[in-house]
Structures are given as C-alpha cells and as structure tokens.
Amino acid sequence: MAEETNETNQEVAEEGATEFQAVSEASEDVAREDTITELVDEEDEGKDKLDSAETLNELLHLSATELCVLKQSWEMFMKSLGGERETVGDAIFGALSHRLTCIKEAFQGRPRAIISLNLFNGFRLLCDKSPVPEDLRVHVETLAFKHLGCEINQQRVDGVTEAFLELVTQNVPDLPPGSVNVWQKVLTYTGSCCRYISSTYTDRLKIIQDDWRVIQSAQDQEHEEGTEEHVNRSFAGMCAFSSEVIGQPTEGWMEEILQVFDVLVERIGNPSHLMEECELLAISMITKAKDIQFEKFKPVMLAALRSLLPKSWSTTHETAWEWLWATISHNLRESTIKAREFKPYNAQLFSKLGEGEMDFFRNNLYSDFLAKCPASQEIFKQSQTRLHYIADRVLQSSYEMFHTPKDEMVDDLSGLGLRHVGYGVPIELFAPFTDSCVAVVKDVVANMAKEANLAASTTPTKKISSNTITGGDSDEVQELMVEGFRWSIGLVARLLMRIITEGSTAVMQAIYQDSAQLLGAALREAPRSERSLLQLRVRVGSQAISPLYWALRSGAHTAAKTMLEDVLTIRADRDRYYYGVDHLFTHQPEVAADLLQEAPKLAKVLLDGLIWRSHKTEEGLRPVIYYMEHLVQDPDETQMISRAFVSFVRFKNPGLIVHPILVFVSDLVWDKLARSYFLWDQIFRLVNFVIFLISACFMNRAEVMLDPVWSKFLMAARVLVYTMGFGKLLYSHIYEMHKASVRKEWKQMLGIRVPKYLLKTTEMLSFFLMVDMAFMLTAEPLLHCFGYEADVLIAFTCGAWTDELSFVYQFFSIMGIFLYVALIFGIGSSISIQISEYRVLCLRAVKQVMLCFGVVALAILTFALSINAMTREVRNISMSHEWKDLGSIVTNLFQLAVGMLDLEVLGHMADESPFMLMVLAAFMLLVYTFFFNLLISQFCGVHSALAKDSEGHARLSRGEVILDTLKAVQMKRWKQFVTSLALEKRVDFAEGDIGLPGGLKVFEPAGANPKTQDQIIRFGGHTDPSLPWPEKHHDEGNSTEKMIQKTIQKSLQHYLGKKGGTDSDFTLSSSHNSSSRNGGD
C-alpha cells in the first residue's frame, strides 16, 4: 500500500520538479536516445498511428488554440463531476475498467481511492504539461518508465483513449470545438511513447533488476553465514579486487559511487530521480578528485559483475549494464561540471552577503512569492521573526548543499520534508517559491554591484568593504553567482518535493493525524508480508526513515502505540506465522532508547509484545514464550548485550525493570554467564579482605610483633595488603580517571570536577578505601621501624613510631575495615536480590538519619548557647564545673540526647535550679518526642514508599553489575553463550504447532497472568503472503452474546410474528445494555 500511496503523489512531484529543472534535459535524452524519431518507425508493432516525424512534432507542439481548448475542456469536465479529484478519478477508473477488463484485473486487490487519485493526477498533469513540449515529453516518458511492467499495445491505447473521450462527451455535452481531437492527440502520443519505451527498455531494466537482486541476495546470505574469504564477494569488494587486478587504484570518487550504487540501480527507471541522485553524488565527488575519468569505472564494474554472475552472464547482460553506466556517467559528467563551476561562486556570494543584503532578501522574498501565489498566505501565517528565520534557512540550505556532507544534508532535508508533510504544504508551491528566491537573490547581487560601482566612482581612493561586489567583477561573475544559487536551491527544492511525495504514505498521514483509526485503514489493504515494514521503513531518496520513530519524535503517541501493538501482534494462516519483532529491531535498532526518551509509557507496550502466554494451562502451569533474542543479542554482532537491554538498565526506572521479560533476561544472563565472571573478579577482593583482617585484627598483638617468626608472617601479610590490595586499587582508579579524562566524562560537584564513574556506590567506596590505605601506608610501623636499629631489620615497635602515629594507624585501620565490609556487603547484594533490596532500604534510610542528626546537632548547639548565657543558674547547681563552658555543655547535651547522661544529675538540679531543669526538659521533649519520633515515622514512610520499588532498585543494581561484568567477557565466550540458547530454533506454541524462532519457552503458575483468549490472531482462507489480512470484527469478544441475542430475536419473530418496531427496539435496547456493561468494565 505504501508503494501505491507513493505513486499517488508521484505525478504531482514531477510538476514542480520540471518547472525549474532546466539542466536535466540532456541527461534524460541519453537514457532514451532518439525517442521521438523512433516512435514513428515501430514496424514490429504494425499498428502505430504516427506515420511521420512531422505528425509526432505536431503532437508535441500544440497550438495556442489547442492548448486553450485542452485546458477549458478539462475544467468543464471537472466541474461537471463536482470538482472533487476523488470523484473525477473514480469516474475515469470506472470508464476504463468497463472498457478494458485487463485494467480491472491489474488493479484487483488495491484500494480504489488510491487508483482513482493516481488516474486523476495522470490526466491532470497531461493537461498541465502540454504548454511546454519538453516538460510534456519528460512527464510522459517518466510515466512510461513507471509502467514498464505492464503490457502496452495499440489496442489498449485505443481503448483508453476512446473510454476517456466517451466519458468526457457524456458528462460535458457542450465541449469546445476541437476538444476531442486535441485530447486524442495527447493520449495517442502518450500511448505511443509508452509502447516504445516498453519495447525498448523493459528487457534491459528487468535484466538489471534481476542481476542486482541475485548479487544482493548472495551478499546477504554470505553476511548471515559469516563466511570468511580473502576476497569480499560484495559488489564493492569485487570492484576493489577488479581494480587491483587491472592495475588501477580505487580512487575516492569511485568509493563515493560504490556507496550509492544500489540507489543508482534502483533509480535507473526514473530519469528525474536518477538525475537528483547524480547531482548529489557529483557534489561529493568533486571533493575527492580534480580530474574524474568516468570511463575508468566501466571495466571495473563489468569485471565485478562477471565474477558475481558467472552462470547467467551473457552479451545481453553486458549490453544492459553498459547502457546503465552510459546513462549514469552522462548525468554525472554534466553534474560534476556544474557543481565544480558553481561551488566557488556560491561560496563567494555568501561571503559577500551582509546584514543589509540579508534584510533585503527577508523582506522581498515573501512579497514576491505572495504576489505570485496569493493562496500561500494561508500557509505563511507565522510571525515576522519566524518568517525571517525561514528565509535565513533557505539561504543557508543553498550554501550547505555545496559544503555539507551529503548524508548529513539529506538527513536534514528528510526531516524537513517530513515536517512539511505534517504541515500539509502543497508541493506545487515549491517551484514558484524557488523562482522568488532566485529573483530576489538576483536583485541582491545587482544591488551589490551598483553600490560597488557607485562607491568606486565617487571615492576611488576609499577602501571598499569586502561585503560588496567590486566594479572589477564582470557580469559573468554575477550571473554565475545567481546560476549557482539557482542550481543548488533548485536541487534542495526537488529533493524536498520528492521527500514529501515519498513520505506522504497513508501510514505517515495517519501519524500526522495521530489517529489509530486512520492507521488501521491505511494497513487494511497492506500485504501481510509487508504490513510490518510499512510501519517501520519508508524510503525517502537514498535514505530510509522509520514511521514509528517519526511518530515518537512528533508526539503522535496514539499512533505509535497502535503501530507497536500491530507490529508485535502474532498473526497466522495455515502456512506461516507473521511477527514483526525482527523487522522492528532491524529497521529501528534504537527502538528501546527512542521509546524511553520520547514516550516512556509505551515501553511497557513493547515489552508486553515480546511475551506470548497461552490461554490454556497444563497441570496448573501456563506455557509462556519470551521472545528475548533482541534483548540479548544486538543487531550489531560486534557488541555483546543488546543496546535495548542497556537502555532499560540505564533508564533507571524501578517500575519498568521488573517487567517479566526483563527479569527473565537479566536472570538468564546473570545465572549462565555474568555471575561466574563476577565472582572470579570479586574473589581477589575477598582474599585481600581476609588478609587485611588477619594483619589488622588478629596479628596486631604485641607478642606477635615481638616474635621473630610470627613477625615475618605479619610483614608478609601487610606487604600483600599494600601490593595486592592498595596497588590494584591505585592502578584501577588511575586507569578509570585517565579514561574519564580522555572521554571528558566529568561532573561538577561543589565546584569540583568528579569523574562520573565515582558516582557509583561501589566505585566511590573503592576510591575511599584506596585513600584510606594510602594514609595507612604513611603511618605503617613496618616502614618507620625498618632499619631503625642496626641489628633488627624487621620491627613493628621502635622510637620512630610514636603514639600519634599509632593512633593514626589504628584510626585508618578501623575505617578500612568498615569500607571493606561495605564493599563485601555490596558484593552480597549483587549476588542476592533480597540482600540488594535490604541494601536499598538502608541507603534510603541513611539520608533520613543524617537529616535527623543534623537537626539534633542544631538543637544541641542552640540549647548549649542558651545555657551558656544562664550564668546565674549554673552557679546555683552543685556540679557547676560540668556546665562551666560551652564545650562541656555541648558534651552534656549530646550525652543527654543519646541517653548516656546519668539522670540523677537532673534529680539534684530540680532542687538547685528549677529554671535550668525546665530548659533541659524542653530539650529532651524536642529531641525525644519530636525529632526521634519523626525519624521513626520517616523510616515507615521510606519503607512504604520503597516497598513496591525495592525489587526494581535491586534489579537496576544487578543490571549495572551485569553491564560492568560483560566488559571483561571475551567475544568468543559471549557467542558460545548465545549459541547455547538456541534462539534460531522454532519454539512450539502447542504440541505439533511449530511456532517462531527467537524465544525460550517456560512455565509459570496458571493464576499469575490469566489469559482467556489466544494471543495469536489466526485466519483461514488463502495463504498468499501478498494478500492482505481479512478484516476481523473488533467485537469478537461479544460474539457469543450476539449469537444468543440473534437467536432470541428470531424466536420472537417466529412466535410473535413482529418484524417492525418491536424487533428494532429490542436490538437497540440489547446493544445499549451491552455497551453499558462494557463501559462499566
């Protein structure tokens, strides 16, 4: 259906394209040499009505009277049918199909609305192109190339002509005199041209298409099988090999051709599109070489084709491919000449444009354009600043066409063109808009030249600004500036027109309306084998875009959801199953990232579509198939884990990561691959921890240090701690910091640049442990006492190791134990989801504890300052020395807050200073009753808030560990893991029902996810993949209810004999009640 919709507006695109494409005439002559003269001499047909070249020229060059009659008769014909193009096209289709049954058979199965619109555009453009003979020839030949696959003979040409003329005369009795004759001339010429091109080029194009299909199939098969040969068997690889054999290097311009050669082969049947591709290619080629000799590529191409097609190659094939290259090389030769000539003058023009010239262009562009096309006022309704921005972008696009890489430029134009489809901009406006741009630029160049001449004549000694054209610039230079701008902006406009035409598929139109209903209608007639592709791939020029991606980008989330559900629905006929998951991840490998960025709510739709659950149970268990191939294996086989899985982990949504298929995939990768690598990596840290504990906790006794044997074991343990533990940590963090510095992965925190990897809890603890061990090393007694006494080399106590150093060493040893335990706890949380959940709760509770301690500290300071001001009360108490200064007061209040102060002190204080007791009671009331109880309530709130998400946070932590662990896994081991899953095998839906590959079958409790209907939509009837799916009613769920309702109605009619209002009322009432129940559900 997409192809038909593309053809719907394709003829419209030619209208604007040829109005300013004056440079493409010669290129199209090469593909069809002597078309006009050879139309006269078709002896093998024997029924050609054109007897001479003069008659043919008369058909091409219509007189002014004939043109007026032709246009007037077409307008009268449209008016007689209501003026609606759909109505006119439908009438034409009815007349043609009634006269020629072959037309009805050819269009069988295609939407009549599309066919009618195609016919309307075809006849309308014949009328519109007739005033310019060359435009008419180009249009007719383009139509002829589009119908190469159809059998065209003189009888069918006569049938079409007679049917159309009969329709016109029946609907318009008062036709202008001569209308029938002029229409007969135009239609006869069109048919004759189609006959000639069909007989001349059909075989050549079929040979080329068949050969290229064989080459591409062999290349794809070789890629899938992964065969390794010394010679690359692709077309580009064989061309490179042939160049080496011939003895000529593969030049840069040849590489540019090879990159788009498949597009050139595809466009060979469409002259105008081929010319556009050649012009784009020429702009890239002139940057690769100064002297391009196109004849060098011909022997290389033919040698490569002979090698790739050894069995089918013949002189006929060689002739066809020689013709193809002759056509392409002629277009490229002319395009490179123009591009090389215009590029420097285009750069010169834009270097001379100042702000005054830009303002002139902005202000005059729309005045000129709106004068030509008053109807465009309904489109250009934006603010003046927005219109000025559009004008600037128009100028910039002309410059970027010459100076921006081709792929980047085409991508930008593709996005711009698709936006214009959404804006509903008619492509007929591009030609006059381009003409207005060129006219205004011509005035700008002329004004700059006048100003330069005037300045040179009045002040010859004054330095002239570089933004003006000097008087020495000739008229030829000015003309080349304008022509260079005309050529580049014309190419931009033609590309946009083609993008809009090709992008105006029914699916894209539904996306712009964000309508699920329109999308369903657009897919209704789609072939079942291409239904998914229509929603995932639209070819726009040499680029391909995904309608689903565009729906996400444009905010059409209703359409995007419908597309996802449709693509991920399993349909089946008797021969095969259809499931679009492979197409989805092939044509849009970043679909998960796109969904999470643009429409996170639709991510669940994607994940749900990857699971099949049976509606039947077996012994209390339900069969489930997880189609997780694309969540495990990335489309790029050089990567390990799928980028989709990485996107879900990095999105850090605890509610999404616990989706059953993500849990299944993460557990699968963890259990079968990542866990063993993770544990082997952590064993080293566990051994270091044990050695650290032995040296710091068990062998730090004085008797061990003084024993000559045990002291050596202690020395060995501490050497291992600093070499294996500290040394490995130091190397790891230096490497990570260097990598972060190279990649510029920093984050500003409190004005300090911190490497992003340190934001991970494990890495942060590891870094603090490294710093802690560095301080331990500075206070290490083994270093301070080494060689302190001449007769004792190894000692742990000496005069150099002071009590202060001993305290520092003990402090950092304690901190090291805590940090090591935290790291080991992190290892345990990575292994066990339950431990990880508890760890998440603890980490979230720490924040509340820190806040509570902060406000308690503030309360202690506030009350300490208050008590310090109560000098009279302090003197009255017996233990005044314990409250004499601020430090002792803070200490006492801290002990009181944590319950360490003896309460007998408060008993004595009641008799000595009641006011002091009241202050302390207020402090205790604030701390115990308010702050600590508030902390408990916060704990409860944190637990209740995280209860449902605790597993999600644990799963996210597990996912990060998996991603980090896989960095150490070799590609060979990863491929062994993927192979062990046997994802290429088909998984049975039921016994004897062989299903689809890419999944794993498991069983879950029957009540976990109840299903009452089969998820697979099954169809009977024909099984041809080219046929659309039969329509299924959306209310199948109520089929039983409707059957009962129908039975009751028939019974009432039989017994009561009423067939009027009673039955109708009953039906309406039942339907209303059914709808009410459905709505209530």
Side-chain angles (χ1 to χ4, degrees):
M1 184 174 180
E3 294 177 358
E4 296 165 7
T5 313
N6 288 341
E7 291 177 4
T8 302
N9 296 321
Q10 191 68 36
E11 290 81 6
V12 184
E14 307 300 335
E15 177 181 6
T18 54
E19 289 183 11
F20 51 86
Q21 188 187 355
V23 297
S24 63
E25 300 170 2
S27 62
E28 288 153 355
D29 289 338
V30 171
R32 299 165 299 278
E33 283 187 359
D34 302 327
T35 301
I36 299 176
T37 57
E38 293 189 26
L39 282 173
V40 183
D41 194 20
E42 291 182 308
E43 297 178 356
D44 50 348
E45 295 290 342
K47 294 182 180 181
D48 197 343
K49 291 186 177 182
L50 304 176
D51 298 329
S52 64
E54 287 76 11
T55 306
L56 182 59
N57 290 333
E58 183 181 353
L59 290 174
L60 285 171
H61 299 276
L62 299 176
S63 65
T65 302
E66 290 175 323
L67 291 173
C68 182
V69 169
L70 185 69
K71 183 177 181 181
Q72 187 177 0
S73 62
W74 174 255
E75 292 176 350
M76 294 174 67
F77 174 59
M78 285 191 61
K79 186 177 181 180
S80 67
L81 293 175
E84 295 291 336
R85 56 181 185 175
E86 290 83 1
T87 306
V88 176
D90 190 69
I92 296 174
F93 176 69
L96 297 182
S97 59
H98 180 72
R99 178 64 63 92
L100 298 173
T101 57
C102 60
I103 291 181
K104 190 173 183 179
E105 294 174 356
F107 290 108
Q108 187 176 4
R110 299 185 183 182
R112 181 156 181 165
I114 300 298
I115 301 170
S116 302
L117 200 55
N118 282 337
L119 291 172
F120 169 80
N121 285 327
F123 281 89
R124 179 183 64 84
L125 288 174
L126 286 177
C127 179
D128 293 346
K129 299 291 184 182
S130 296
V132 183
E134 204 51 49
D135 287 352
L136 178 63
R137 182 182 67 83
V138 171
H139 172 64
V140 169
E141 291 179 351
T142 302
L143 286 178
F145 271 94
K146 289 181 181 179
H147 293 80
L148 281 178
C150 303
E151 181 184 353
I152 302 176
N153 52 42
Q154 189 60 44
Q155 181 181 0
R156 293 184 176 181
V157 172
D158 293 342
V160 171
T161 304
E162 293 169 2
F164 177 76
L165 293 177
E166 182 180 351
L167 177 66
V168 173
T169 54
Q170 287 178 354
N171 286 277
V172 187
D174 301 328
L175 276 174
S179 300
V180 174
N181 292 333
V182 68
W183 273 110
Q184 189 169 14
K185 287 181 180 180
V186 173
L187 294 177
T188 302
Y189 167 71
T190 303
S192 301
C193 186
C194 290
R195 288 175 54 208
Y196 168 75
I197 290 180
S198 177
S199 62
T200 305
Y201 295 104
T202 299
D203 293 338
R204 290 182 182 179
L205 290 177
K206 187 176 185 304
I207 290 172
I208 292 171
Q209 292 171 358
D210 292 343
D211 288 350
W212 193 249
R213 192 180 301 111
V214 171
I215 293 172
Q216 293 296 97
S217 300
Q219 180 179 340
D220 294 340
Q221 182 178 1
E222 179 183 354
H223 178 70
E224 292 176 0
E225 296 176 353
T227 56
E228 296 183 1
E229 299 183 10
H230 296 291
V231 179
N232 187 348
R233 301 293 298 178
S234 65
F235 178 75
M238 288 305 301
C239 284
F241 177 75
S242 301
S243 296
E244 295 179 2
V245 173
I246 295 174
Q248 67 180 25
T250 302
E251 302 179 22
W253 62 269
M254 290 186 183
E255 295 177 353
E256 292 288 335
I257 291 178
L258 291 174
Q259 289 179 3
V260 297
F261 195 77
D262 58 334
V263 179
L264 298 177
V265 172
E266 180 183 344
R267 301 292 183 186
I268 190 62
N270 194 319
S272 60
H273 289 183
L274 178 65
M275 190 65 193
E276 292 169 10
E277 296 296 338
C278 290
E279 289 176 350
L280 282 173
L281 182 58
I283 296 174
S284 299
M285 290 172 60
I286 61 175
T287 62
K288 302 293 183 180
K290 294 183 178 179
D291 183 20
I292 302 176
Q293 299 178 8
F294 291 101
E295 60 273 8
K296 288 184 177 181
F297 186 75
K298 179 180 176 181
V300 173
M301 177 193 72
L302 293 176
L305 291 170
R306 293 189 195 102
S307 301
L308 294 171
L309 302 166
K311 296 182 180 180
S312 59
W313 192 257
S314 64
T315 55
T316 306
H317 290 252
E318 187 151 347
T319 302
W321 284 95
E322 285 179 348
W323 166 78
L324 176 138
W325 179 243
T327 305
I328 294 175
S329 61
H330 182 88
N331 290 345
L332 287 176
R333 186 174 289 106
E334 288 195 348
S335 299
T336 51
I337 292 173
K338 289 182 172 62
R340 201 184 298 277
E341 182 180 17
F342 292 147
K343 184 175 181 178
Y345 291 102
N346 182 271
Q348 184 179 354
L349 169 64
F350 281 90
S351 67
K352 296 178 181 298
L353 289 178
E355 190 60 32
E357 288 76 18
M358 295 291 291
D359 286 336
F360 182 86
F361 180 83
R362 296 169 187 144
N363 296 326
N364 289 273
L365 171 62
Y366 297 103
S367 301
D368 185 87
F369 176 60
L370 295 177
K372 293 179 179 178
C373 302
S376 61
Q377 296 180 17
E378 294 300 320
I379 297 176
F380 292 95
K381 297 184 294 186
Q382 298 88 345
S383 64
Q384 194 72 10
T385 55
R386 175 64 179 173
L387 293 177
H388 286 177
Y389 169 78
I390 295 174
D392 292 344
R393 289 297 302 143
V394 169
L395 282 176
Q396 190 67 21
S397 65
S398 172
Y399 178 81
E400 291 176 350
M401 180 57 70
F402 282 108
H403 302 88
T404 303
K406 178 174 69 70
D407 292 341
E408 181 180 344
M409 186 65 187
V410 173
D411 287 342
D412 292 342
L413 289 177
S414 298
L416 180 62
L418 292 174
R419 285 197 296 273
H420 279 71
V421 176
Y423 301 150
V425 178
I427 58 175
E428 292 87 350
L429 297 179
F430 278 87
F433 185 79
T434 306
D435 292 339
S436 297
C437 292
V438 175
V440 176
V441 167
K442 188 174 183 179
D443 293 339
V444 169
V445 173
N447 292 338
M448 289 192 297
K450 290 179 181 178
E451 292 176 2
N453 293 333
L454 181 62
S457 61
T458 55
T459 56
T461 58
K462 185 178 179 180
K463 183 177 180 180
I464 300 175
S465 172
S466 60
N467 288 337
T468 59
I469 300 179
T470 60
D473 288 325
S474 63
D475 294 338
E476 182 181 359
V477 173
Q478 300 176 30
E479 183 179 354
L480 286 173
M481 286 183 180
V482 176
E483 289 303 316
F485 176 80
R486 186 198 307 274
W487 189 78
S488 60
I489 199 65
L491 179 57
V492 170
R494 283 182 282 127
L495 286 173
L496 284 174
M497 290 167 57
R498 191 178 74 186
I499 290 166
I500 294 173
T501 302
E502 295 178 351
S504 297
T505 64
V507 173
M508 294 298 290
Q509 294 290 349
I511 290 173
Y512 297 127
Q513 298 293 330
D514 195 17
S515 171
Q517 183 178 2
L518 291 179
L519 184 63
L523 297 173
R524 192 168 296 130
E525 300 295 333
R528 58 187 66 178
S529 61
E530 300 178 6
R531 186 181 179 103
S532 298
L533 291 176
L534 293 180
Q535 303 172 75
L536 298 171
R537 188 175 186 270
V538 171
R539 190 67 178 265
V540 180
S542 59
Q543 306 293 313
I545 65 165
S546 169
L548 174 59
Y549 172 74
W550 191 253
L552 294 172
R553 283 286 305 274
S554 60
H557 295 166
T558 301
K561 180 181 178 181
T562 305
M563 295 168 72
L564 274 175
E565 292 174 345
D566 187 87
V567 169
L568 297 177
T569 297
I570 303 177
R571 297 177 176 86
D573 52 30
R574 293 189 304 274
D575 287 348
R576 57 184 63 84
Y577 286 95
Y578 295 86
Y579 187 34
V581 64
D582 291 335
H583 290 155
L584 175 63
F585 284 92
T586 300
H587 295 287
Q588 195 172 345
E590 301 287 349
V591 60
D594 296 336
L595 283 172
L596 294 173
Q597 180 179 358
E598 304 292 345
K601 291 183 179 180
L602 298 184
K604 188 176 183 299
V605 178
L606 170 65
L607 297 174
D608 289 342
L610 301 178
I611 302 176
W612 172 84
R613 288 187 172 91
S614 175
H615 63 290
K616 301 177 181 179
T617 60
E618 303 174 7
E619 298 180 357
L621 297 176
R622 186 184 307 279
V624 180
I625 300 178
Y626 292 108
Y627 290 99
M628 29 68 72
E629 179 182 7
H630 297 287
L631 291 177
V632 175
Q633 180 63 59
D634 193 80
D636 182 4
E637 296 183 358
T638 60
Q639 298 183 15
M640 289 192 184
I641 195 71
S642 166
R643 69 190 76 175
F645 181 79
V646 175
S647 299
F648 284 115
V649 173
R650 298 282 166 81
F651 188 62
K652 297 187 180 303
N653 188 317
L656 189 61
I657 200 66
V658 294
H659 193 278
I661 193 169
L662 292 178
V663 171
F664 180 78
V665 171
S666 62
D667 288 345
L668 184 70
V669 176
W670 174 256
D671 294 336
K672 291 194 173 184
L673 181 66
R675 180 169 57 188
S676 58
Y677 278 86
F678 176 77
L679 291 178
W680 276 111
D681 183 63
Q682 299 303 322
I683 284 176
F684 189 80
R685 179 169 291 170
L686 290 172
V687 171
N688 285 332
F689 177 53
V690 172
I691 296 174
F692 184 87
L693 287 179
I694 292 173
S695 64
C697 300
F698 300 104
M699 299 186 69
N700 61 340
R701 302 292 183 265
E703 59 273 16
V704 175
M705 296 180 181
L706 295 175
D707 187 274
V709 177
W710 285 104
S711 62
K712 291 183 175 62
F713 283 104
L714 178 59
M715 180 196 69
R718 293 195 175 179
V719 169
L720 289 175
V721 167
Y722 294 121
T723 54
M724 295 176 58
F726 175 70
K728 185 178 184 299
L729 291 174
L730 183 63
Y731 170 79
S732 175
H733 285 285
I734 290 176
Y735 174 76
E736 291 293 339
M737 287 185 178
H738 173 71
K739 188 165 65 174
S741 177
V742 172
R743 298 179 179 178
K744 298 182 179 180
E745 296 176 348
W746 304 91
K747 186 173 182 179
Q748 291 289 129
M749 296 184 65
L750 301 177
I752 303 174
R753 288 201 311 169
V754 178
K756 288 185 178 180
Y757 84 95
L758 286 180
L759 300 179
K760 297 180 181 179
T761 305
T762 304
E763 297 295 339
M764 181 175 60
L765 291 174
S766 175
F767 179 78
F768 286 146
L769 180 60
M770 180 194 71
V771 175
D772 180 85
M773 296 181 74
F775 282 107
M776 284 181 61
L777 184 61
T778 59
E780 174 59 45
L782 185 63
L783 295 180
H784 286 276
C785 296
F786 185 78
Y788 185 79
E789 297 179 5
D791 55 341
V792 181
L793 188 62
I794 300 174
F796 292 92
T797 56
C798 61
W801 197 53
T802 61
D803 185 64
E804 291 78 7
L805 289 176
S806 176
F807 173 77
V808 171
Y809 186 80
Q810 290 181 8
F811 174 79
F812 286 109
S813 296
I814 295 171
M815 294 300 299
I817 293 173
F818 279 106
L819 291 172
Y820 256 124
V821 170
L823 284 172
I824 299 304
F825 183 70
I827 296 173
S829 65
S830 299
I831 297 174
S832 172
I833 293 296
Q834 288 75 18
I835 296 177
S836 183
E837 291 181 28
Y838 185 74
R839 176 172 170 265
V840 170
L841 291 173
C842 290
L843 291 176
R844 295 302 176 92
V846 165
K847 180 180 179 181
Q848 308 302 326
V849 172
M850 298 302 296
L851 290 174
C852 181
F853 282 177
V855 294
V856 169
L858 180 62
I860 290 174
L861 179 61
T862 302
F863 278 88
L865 292 173
S866 301
I867 294 174
N868 194 46
M870 299 166 58
T871 55
R872 174 183 173 278
E873 301 298 328
V874 172
R875 286 196 304 267
N876 291 337
I877 60 178
S878 58
M879 303 178 65
S880 59
H881 61 281
E882 295 183 2
W883 305 83
K884 62 180 179 179
D885 54 21
L886 184 62
S888 59
I889 297 173
V890 169
T891 303
N892 289 329
L893 290 178
F894 175 76
Q895 292 177 352
L896 182 61
V898 298
M900 296 174 60
L901 186 67
D902 189 0
L903 295 181
E904 292 183 3
V905 176
L906 300 181
H908 296 296
M909 195 175 294
D911 299 330
E912 299 170 352
S913 178
F915 183 61
M916 183 76 166
L917 180 63
M918 292 176 58
V919 173
L920 293 178
F923 173 76
M924 295 174 64
L925 183 67
L926 179 66
V927 172
Y928 289 115
T929 306
F930 184 71
F931 290 146
F932 287 167
N933 285 332
L934 179 61
L935 178 61
I936 294 173
S937 65
Q938 285 178 321
F939 281 164
C940 296
V942 168
H943 183 271
S944 60
L946 292 178
K948 62 178 181 179
D949 290 336
S950 59
E951 183 184 358
H953 289 287
R955 290 285 176 183
L956 288 173
S957 178
R958 166 74 64 82
E960 290 290 348
V961 171
I962 290 174
L963 297 183
D964 291 338
T965 303
L966 289 180
K967 295 177 182 178
V969 178
Q970 295 181 353
M971 181 59 69
K972 181 179 179 181
R973 178 67 184 90
W974 170 259
K975 290 184 177 180
Q976 291 175 353
F977 163 71
V978 175
T979 304
S980 68
L981 300 178
L983 296 175
E984 72 281 357
K985 294 183 179 180
R986 295 179 177 272
V987 184
D988 294 348
F989 289 116
E991 188 175 358
D993 187 2
I994 302 176
L996 296 161
L1000 292 179
K1001 189 173 185 179
V1002 297
F1003 292 87
E1004 66 181 16
N1009 297 281
K1011 291 289 179 182
T1012 58
Q1013 293 183 350
D1014 190 1
Q1015 286 185 237
I1016 303 174
I1017 303 178
R1018 301 181 182 273
F1019 298 89
H1022 296 289
T1023 61
D1024 187 356
S1026 63
L1027 294 177
W1029 291 110
E1031 291 189 39
K1032 280 219 169 189
H1033 299 293
H1034 298 288
D1035 53 355
E1036 289 181 347
N1038 300 326
S1039 58
T1040 304
E1041 181 182 350
K1042 289 187 175 182
M1043 182 181 66
I1044 296 173
Q1045 182 187 51
K1046 188 175 181 180
T1047 304
I1048 295 174
Q1049 288 179 357
K1050 288 184 177 179
S1051 300
L1052 288 174
Q1053 291 175 5
H1054 177 72
Y1055 288 107
L1056 300 178
K1058 295 181 180 181
K1059 300 182 181 179
T1062 304
D1063 297 337
S1064 177
D1065 294 341
F1066 176 79
T1067 302
L1068 290 175
S1069 176
S1070 300
S1071 300
H1072 175 71
N1073 293 336
S1074 176
S1075 301
S1076 301
R1077 286 193 298 272
N1078 292 338
D1081 292 342

